[in-house]
C-alpha cells in the first residue's frame, strides 16, 4: 500500500497453502511460495525457507501468524533482521492464546507487541507496543478483534521505524 517508504515486499512465504496472506499477496501481484513443513524437521524446513529468501535477495523478514519457533540457523542467517508481531504486551503472555491468558489474569489492559526475533519464545528486543483496554464484557473473540485492529496499524509503523534506523546506521558506516 506504500505505507512503508523505500521498501518492497519481495515474497510471501507460508507453510500453509490455504493461508489468507497468500491470496492477498497474489491479488497484489506479489510472489508467493508455499514450503510445506509437515513430516519434516524444523532445521530442514527452515533451511529451505532461508534458501528461498536468499534466492530473492531478501534483506528483512516480517513474520505474521507464523506459529513456530525458528531454528538457530535461520535466526543466525537473518539476526537482527527478523520482526514478529504478538497479540500481547510482552513480556506478558507469550506463546499461544495470549488474549485468553490476558482475560484469565483479569488484566485491565492488553495489546500487541512488535519485537525482534531471537531464539526465545516471543523474547527478542521490543520495538513497539500498542495498548488495548480490556472491557468487562470482553471475550477472547472481542478482545482479539480489537487487538488485531491495532496490530494492523502498529506493524507497518514499527517496520518503517526499524528500516529508517537501519538506513541511518548504513549511511553512518559509509
Amino acid at each position: 500500500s506504500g505505507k512503508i517508504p523505500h521498501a518492497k515486499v519481495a515474497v510471501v512465504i507460508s507453510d500453509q497453502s490455504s493461508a489468507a496472506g497468500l491470496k492477498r499477496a497474489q491479488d497484489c501481484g506479489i510472489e508467493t511460495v508455499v514450503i510445506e513443513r509437515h513430516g519434516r524437521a524444523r532445521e530442514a524446513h527452515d533451511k529451505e525457507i532461508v534458501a528461498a529468501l536468499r534466492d530473492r535477495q531478501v534483506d528483512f523478514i516480517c513474520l505474521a501468524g507464523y506459529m513456530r519457533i525458528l531454528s538457530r540457523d535461520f535466526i543466525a542467517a537473518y539476526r537482527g533482521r527478523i520482526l514478529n508481531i504478538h497479540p500481547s504486551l510482552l513480556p506478558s503472555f507469550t506463546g499461544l492464546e495470549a488474549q485468553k491468558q490476558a482475560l484469565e489474569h483479569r488484566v485491565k489492559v492488553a495489546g500487541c507487541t512488535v519485537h525482534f526475533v531471537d531464539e526465545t519464545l516471543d523474547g527478542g528486543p521490543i520495538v513497539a507496543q500498542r495498548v488495548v483496554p480490556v472491557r468487562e464484557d470482553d471475550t477472547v473473540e472481542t478482545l482479539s478483534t480489537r487487538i488485531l485492529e491495532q496490530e494492523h496499524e502498529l506493524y507497518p509503523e514499527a517496520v518503517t521505524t526499524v528500516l529508517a534506523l537501519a538506513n541511518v546506521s548504513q549511511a553512518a558506516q559509509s
Side-chain angles (χ1 to χ4, degrees), residues 133-150:
V134 177
R135 299 176 184 155
E136 290 291 324
D137 62 344
D138 261 328
T139 64
V140 170
E141 292 76 23
T142 60
L143 181 58
S144 297
T145 297
R146 290 200 327 283
I147 290 173
L148 184 62
E149 290 170 0
Q150 294 305 310

Side-chain angles (χ1 to χ4, degrees), residues 12-26 32 34 64-65:
V12 173
I13 300 175
S14 179
D15 61 350
Q16 305 287 322
S17 61
S18 61
L22 294 172
K23 172 77 168 100
R24 190 167 181 191
Q26 290 165 350
T32 61
V34 176

Side-chain angles (χ1 to χ4, degrees), residues 53-71:
L53 294 168
R54 287 184 172 153
D55 285 349
R56 290 156 182 85
Q57 300 177 333
V58 170
D59 296 317
F60 197 79
I61 300 166
C62 298
L63 302 176
Y66 195 76
M67 309 303 283
R68 190 170 181 174
I69 296 173
L70 298 173
S71 67

Side-chain angles (χ1 to χ4, degrees), residues 86-97:
H86 184 75
S88 79
L89 296 173
L90 293 175
S92 296
F93 313 128
T94 61
L96 299 175
E97 299 182 332

